[in-house]
Amino acid sequence: MPLTPLALPGAELALDPHWLDCAAADALFAALLADVPWETHRIRLFGRDVDSPRRSCWIGDAGAAYRYSGVDFTPRPWPQVLLPIRARLRSELGIDCNSVLANLYRDGRDRMGWHGDDERELGVQPVIASLSLGAARRFVLKQRADAKVSRAITLPHGSLLLMSGDTQAHYRHALPATAKAVGPRINLTFRRILD
């Protein structure tokens, strides 16, 4: 199924809820869960260093260092299992990524707070390809200028959400915690770090 545009003023969003079929998504989820060196990163929030409420791993080409929340991240090498995904993003969608942030949400308590992928290293109009594996979770965007302009999207197992254009300039996004009993989820946000 091709990517379907999603309406949100000032944003360029597109979703394919079945970008990976179930068997491929299951295999990728299991391989990443077992093989990625998951870490609890320390981040700076409101002037304090705290543990991030999820497990993560910064992966990429040598030199694709990234600064987030006051912390510098040096990329780990690409796991073999991600190379076909990277190649498919390039061949099907023209996305030439050199890095990916892998996040592991162990249950509904793990979350990602409001933020924009608007760091200098990503350029003015970054393209973020977000691949979701495991438990479906609610992803929310809200406009920076008017928080009443928002959209919630449930991202199922094997789905690909593409954020491009001025999306990061005009919107912040989050993966809120949930009290519902949900299983683990892995999210991969492929991107290009500029020199």
Side-chain angles (χ1 to χ4, degrees):
M1 174 186 286
L3 289 164
T4 301
L6 302 176
L8 193 61
E12 290 182 36
L13 300 171
L15 177 68
D16 182 343
H18 307 291
W19 194 72
L20 287 180
D21 65 40
C22 194
D26 287 348
L28 183 57
F29 180 85
L32 292 170
L33 194 59
D35 297 338
V36 167
W38 299 105
E39 304 170 293
T40 301
H41 291 148
R42 298 282 292 171
I43 57 174
R44 182 166 285 281
L45 287 177
F46 308 110
R48 297 182 319 138
D49 289 334
V50 298
D51 286 344
S52 66
R54 66 197 159 275
R55 306 286 309 259
S56 301
C57 185
W58 179 246
I59 297 164
D61 296 348
Y66 189 53
R67 184 167 182 79
Y68 169 73
S69 192
V71 180
D72 292 314
F73 295 99
T74 301
R76 293 188 178 267
W78 287 90
Q80 284 297 121
V81 71
L82 286 181
L83 297 179
I85 301 296
R86 182 183 187 188
R88 184 174 169 197
L89 288 169
R90 184 181 299 120
S91 67
E92 285 185 13
L93 303 172
I95 299 170
D96 188 22
C97 58
N98 62 2
S99 52
V100 60
L101 177 60
N103 283 309
L104 170 62
Y105 301 89
R106 295 160 290 189
D107 57 32
R109 293 172 296 184
D110 282 358
R111 65 199 179 279
M112 174 74 78
W114 289 107
H115 70 287
D117 294 325
D118 56 359
E119 291 80 12
R120 180 187 54 80
E121 299 95 331
L122 297 175
V124 178
Q125 290 186 318
V127 175
I128 308 292
S130 176
L131 179 60
S132 295
L133 304 165
R137 291 281 297 268
R138 191 171 66 96
F139 178 80
V140 185
L141 298 105
K142 71 178 174 182
Q143 196 177 66
R144 292 173 187 260
D146 181 359
K148 290 182 237 157
V149 178
S150 64
R151 178 154 190 168
I153 306 163
T154 298
L155 298 174
H157 186 48
S159 65
L160 183 73
L161 175 68
L162 190 62
M163 298 183 285
S164 58
D166 287 330
T167 304
Q168 303 304 324
H170 296 303
Y171 287 85
R172 295 188 317 143
H173 54 271
L175 187 88
T178 179
K180 294 178 183 174
V182 295
R185 171 187 192 262
I186 293 174
N187 181 251
L188 305 169
T189 50
F190 294 87
R191 59 195 74 205
R192 178 153 199 84
I193 300 295
L194 305 176
D195 296 334

